[in-house]
Amino acid sequence: QVQLVESAGGLVQPGGSLRLSCAVSGRASGFNTMGWFRQASGREREFVATIRRGDNKKYYGASVKGRFTISRDNVKNTVDLQMDSLKPDDTAVYYCAAAGGNLILSSMGRKEAYDYWGQGTQVTVSS
């Protein structure tokens, strides 16, 4: 059974940093495309970042580009999200997602393109 398990989020002050990690179990070969989405209270799930295995292509949502960095470890079967210069608008539940295929650019930000999801972890940015 495939599982994606996110590390604990937390409470961070504006301007601070936080690193999230997602570990894949139940699929030794891992996933070709892995990403992060987030969902704030009362809003739609929003694309944050994604990374493709092989060419290591990365793609970021407009609201986080330049502040967040996605990376992956194909040996450990993990994907991380380094979040810097956090803002109150970054407050949301963050979800790890995985797709079996190498998604094309036009699909990398679409939640429908991902096959597996983590349970989510709360990140709150507040003073």
Side-chain angles (χ1 to χ4, degrees), residues 54-102:
D55 61 3
N56 215 39
K57 176 70 177 178
K58 303 173 185 179
Y59 181 52
Y60 295 92
S63 60
V64 306
K65 195 169 186 178
R67 300 188 297 120
F68 290 12
T69 304
I70 190 170
S71 60
R72 65 186 292 166
D73 186 324
N74 295 325
V75 174
K76 295 181 180 179
N77 229 347
T78 58
V79 61
D80 289 355
L81 184 69
Q82 175 67 39
M83 303 184 291
D84 298 318
S85 302
L86 283 161
K87 306 173 182 179
D89 283 349
D90 295 317
T91 296
V93 176
Y94 284 70
Y95 297 90
C96 176
N102 269 326

Side-chain angles (χ1 to χ4, degrees), residues 14-47:
S17 297
L18 187 67
R19 189 177 185 91
L20 300 179
S21 184
C22 172
V24 176
S25 63
R27 180 166 166 145
S29 60
F31 290 94
N32 283 331
T33 305
M34 295 197 69
W36 291 90
F37 287 73
R38 67 186 183 186
Q39 188 165 15
S41 179
R43 301 184 67 175
E44 293 287 319
R45 192 165 296 190
E46 175 192 20
F47 168 70

Side-chain angles (χ1 to χ4, degrees), residues 33 50 52 57 59 101-110 113-114:
T33 305
T50 192
R52 214 164 49 185
K57 176 70 177 178
Y59 181 52
N102 269 326
L103 300 181
I104 59 176
L105 184 59
S106 60
S107 295
M108 292 173 85
R110 295 178 59 245
Y114 292 81

